[in-house]
Amino acid sequence: MELVQPRRPRDAGSEPVQVAPELLGQVARGDHAAFARLYDLMAGKVFGLIRRVLRDEAQSEEVFQEVMLEVWRKASRFDAALGSPSAWIMTIAHRRAVDRVRAAQAAGTRETQAAQLEVDTPFDDTSEQVASRLEHRQVRRCLGMLTSLQRESVLLAYYQGYTYPEVASLLKLPLGTVKTRMRDGLIRLRDCMGVSA
């Protein structure tokens, strides 16, 4: 299926979006109507998350297209044992947006270094992939060390794009409790990842 220029995703607001696993299953079987329903459900949240990460309208639209195409192509890879369809889609969106930021930063760094050294250094794709996989494993390991409330709060805020008040509403907890758990969880993640404050 070739994706054409989509209608502009509307702002999703603060309500959580839930996608039934069956809908994603229909998309995996190539059901265009199911994909249209999925698009309508998720477009606002996906675009909002990407826009918050990239802060650039044109790049956000490009990455949004890439994400929705990836959802269409890889819907059969969704594993309900690992989370909800909405979380899976938002994780793809977050990863793609962060990849775009990293690519832009890396390009800027490479250009600066090339200008300073006036030497072309070959890009080592294999080492980049290994470093990325190791980083992903370390993040998963560190997330596993958090309490369930800390992990759920961090995942909702940083991988699904919810605000702190939305996280509090979803978890049915006071906002102050969520903020404290998030702060504690982020400190534990920072320490686990070996990042200096």
Side-chain angles (χ1 to χ4, degrees), residues 110-121:
R110 283 193 304 269
E111 287 175 12
T112 301
Q113 290 172 346
Q116 291 172 346
L117 299 175
E118 296 181 1
V119 175
D120 290 333
T121 45

Side-chain angles (χ1 to χ4, degrees), residues 33-144:
F35 183 74
R37 288 192 305 274
L38 178 71
Y39 181 99
D40 289 340
L41 281 170
M42 293 299 299
K45 281 288 187 190
V46 170
F47 186 77
L49 172 65
I50 294 167
R51 184 76 169 91
R52 283 191 295 275
V53 173
L54 295 179
R55 301 186 190 280
D56 178 85
E57 192 78 19
Q59 284 197 36
S60 296
E61 289 174 0
E62 285 178 23
V63 172
F64 173 75
Q65 282 284 341
E66 293 169 7
V67 168
M68 296 313 290
L69 185 59
E70 185 172 347
V71 168
W72 170 256
R73 288 181 176 161
K74 296 183 179 178
S76 62
R77 296 183 188 175
F78 168 71
D79 183 355
L82 298 177
S84 71
S86 300
W88 180 72
I89 293 168
M90 294 302 282
T91 299
I92 291 171
H94 186 263
R95 187 187 73 235
R96 283 277 186 161
V98 169
D99 286 349
R100 179 66 64 101
V101 169
R102 286 182 179 158
Q105 290 172 341
T109 301
R110 283 193 304 269
E111 287 175 12
T112 301
Q113 290 172 346
Q116 291 172 346
L117 299 175
E118 296 181 1
V119 175
D120 290 333
T121 45
F123 177 71
D124 186 354
D125 188 45
T126 303
S127 83
E128 182 75 18
Q129 289 178 5
V130 168
S132 178
R133 286 183 185 145
L134 289 173
E135 183 178 292
H136 289 303
R137 283 187 190 142
Q138 185 177 11
V139 169
R140 281 195 297 272
R141 181 181 60 79
C142 291
L143 279 170

